[in-house]
Amino acid sequence: MADVSLRQLELFAALPNFTTLSAAAAHLHISESALSQAVTSLEHAVGEQLCVRRKARGLTLTPTGQQFARQARQIVADTQELVLGAGRGQELRGPVKLGCYSTFATNVVPELLEGFPKRYPGVHIEIMVSTNEELLSALEAGRLDVALVYDVSLPIGYRRRKIYGTELEVHLHPDHPLATAGTLDLPDLAGEPYIQFDATPGTVNVTDAFAARGLEPTVAARVTEIGLVEALVGRGLGYGLLMSRPNALPMSLEGRPVVVRPLDPPVTVSHVVGIWPEDMNLTPRASALLDFALEKLGGYGRADVLPDPAAPGGTAVIP
């Protein structure tokens, strides 16, 4: 049997997070020469090159090295779970690293941070709020246990668990002529000033939804923050189109009232899901956190609306 230590596996499992060996060594609180020696020892044990180390080009893992890092990360995680589980009995304890997509984090994270530690006082939640791309990268590198994202345009290789349903809604000033309607359709909105939440791929999907009906939105302003969309709507400068979110009050950040109306027929329907790499085991703490999120948020959303990608404008939006 090859003479490989858990410490060597732990060190190598962290390498995908860094572009140079010196940066990895600094983060791991080890000298660069000691880290290089650990990697070389692993390569001798494996009998194959695991990474390419060039001063000018930094650190690059070979395909074998990438697979080795994933398996090493799982071994290290399983060992940590073994140690944590040996003395806890039925009590969960230890960290859980949760990622959350930035645009709905305000409506989801507070509920989880308040309630989950009360139920599991031995568990500590670490939060990362970011874009889809950064969350996926963090999951792949093992910096997150699980992430909450929209179930839209996700790459293969991830397991997922549905948390709550979400759909595109219209946000209006209370005095807007359309605010008295129970539901709205895209033709009702096409000629009205539109405050566009400028985010990829949401912007394209909204435009395509209008185009599928032979329409084009009348864009009055393009902004990159949901709070600013609500603020402009609250001042009567136009309407907004945003995905529905739990724990959201119908008012702007300035405290001005906003009227929210559903679209009929629905334009976009999606789900917020918890995802993790399919080649990684979900820890008991992360699984319990997703169970808690489903318990607290799973009843949100209209049960009578189902996704229909073939319908006009049926492509999901990520605002």
Side-chain angles (χ1 to χ4, degrees):
M1 180 177 177
D3 186 13
V4 174
S5 69
L6 183 63
R7 177 56 173 166
Q8 287 176 310
L9 296 180
E10 184 180 25
L11 293 174
F12 196 84
L15 292 188
N17 297 329
F18 304 97
T19 56
T20 65
L21 203 65
S22 60
H27 179 82
L28 295 167
H29 305 291
I30 186 175
S31 69
E32 185 175 350
S33 60
L35 179 57
S36 179
Q37 183 178 358
V39 172
T40 300
S41 296
L42 280 176
E43 290 178 326
H44 287 161
V46 173
E48 190 171 339
Q49 187 173 10
L50 299 177
C51 64
V52 179
R53 291 164 275 177
R54 297 190 183 99
K55 289 186 178 181
R57 299 182 182 178
L59 175 70
T60 304
L61 268 63
T62 65
T64 299
Q66 293 172 3
Q67 179 63 25
F68 190 88
R70 285 193 292 269
Q71 293 179 328
R73 187 165 67 245
Q74 185 64 64
I75 291 171
V76 172
D78 288 344
T79 303
Q80 291 173 341
E81 290 304 309
L82 177 64
V83 173
L84 288 170
R88 72 178 178 223
Q90 299 299 315
E91 179 186 354
L92 291 179
R93 62 186 180 94
V96 56
K97 299 178 181 179
L98 173 69
C100 189
Y101 187 54
S102 58
T103 62
F104 58 75
T106 301
N107 306 94
V108 168
V109 170
E111 177 113 46
L112 302 181
L113 283 183
E114 179 187 26
F116 189 74
K118 293 179 180 178
R119 183 171 299 181
Y120 300 102
V123 178
H124 171 66
I125 303 178
E126 299 177 21
I127 294 289
M128 174 183 176
V129 175
S130 194
T131 63
N132 261 32
E133 293 78 8
E134 291 175 338
L135 293 175
L136 292 173
S137 177
L139 282 170
E140 189 65 24
R143 299 194 302 273
L144 292 175
D145 294 313
V146 66
L148 299 177
V149 297
Y150 284 116
D151 192 13
V152 177
S153 302
L154 292 177
I156 61 173
Y158 288 90
R159 299 178 187 175
R160 62 193 74 184
R161 185 183 301 177
K162 291 182 180 179
I163 304 299
Y164 67 84
T166 178
E167 60 181 295
L168 204 64
E169 294 179 325
V170 187
H171 291 234
L172 303 155
H173 187 277
D175 294 334
H176 194 286
L178 297 175
T180 57
T183 63
L184 294 169
D185 195 4
L186 291 182
D188 302 326
L189 302 168
E192 301 292 328
Y194 171 43
I195 309 300
Q196 178 175 281
F197 178 55
D198 206 0
T200 303
T203 303
V204 174
N205 288 339
V206 168
T207 302
D208 288 348
F210 275 97
R213 305 285 294 276
L215 304 169
E216 184 177 347
T218 305
V219 179
R222 293 179 173 87
V223 299
T224 57
E225 295 183 6
I226 284 181
L228 186 51
V229 173
E230 296 279 39
L232 297 178
V233 170
R235 287 178 175 266
L237 300 180
Y239 73 92
L241 290 171
L242 299 172
M243 295 299 277
S244 57
R245 293 162 286 153
N247 302 316
L249 296 176
M251 65 176 59
S252 72
L253 294 176
E254 297 177 310
R256 298 172 183 264
V258 173
V259 172
V260 181
R261 295 288 183 261
L263 285 162
D264 188 16
V267 173
T268 62
V269 178
S270 183
H271 286 87
V272 166
V273 295
I275 64 169
W276 64 99
E278 64 181 10
D279 60 352
M280 298 293 290
N281 296 326
L282 199 61
T283 68
R285 297 178 301 281
S287 182
L289 182 57
L290 289 185
D291 290 342
F292 184 83
L294 181 60
E295 174 189 332
K296 296 298 181 181
L297 305 170
Y300 179 76
R302 284 202 293 167
D304 61 327
V305 177
L306 297 175
D308 184 7
T315 303
V317 179
I318 305 181

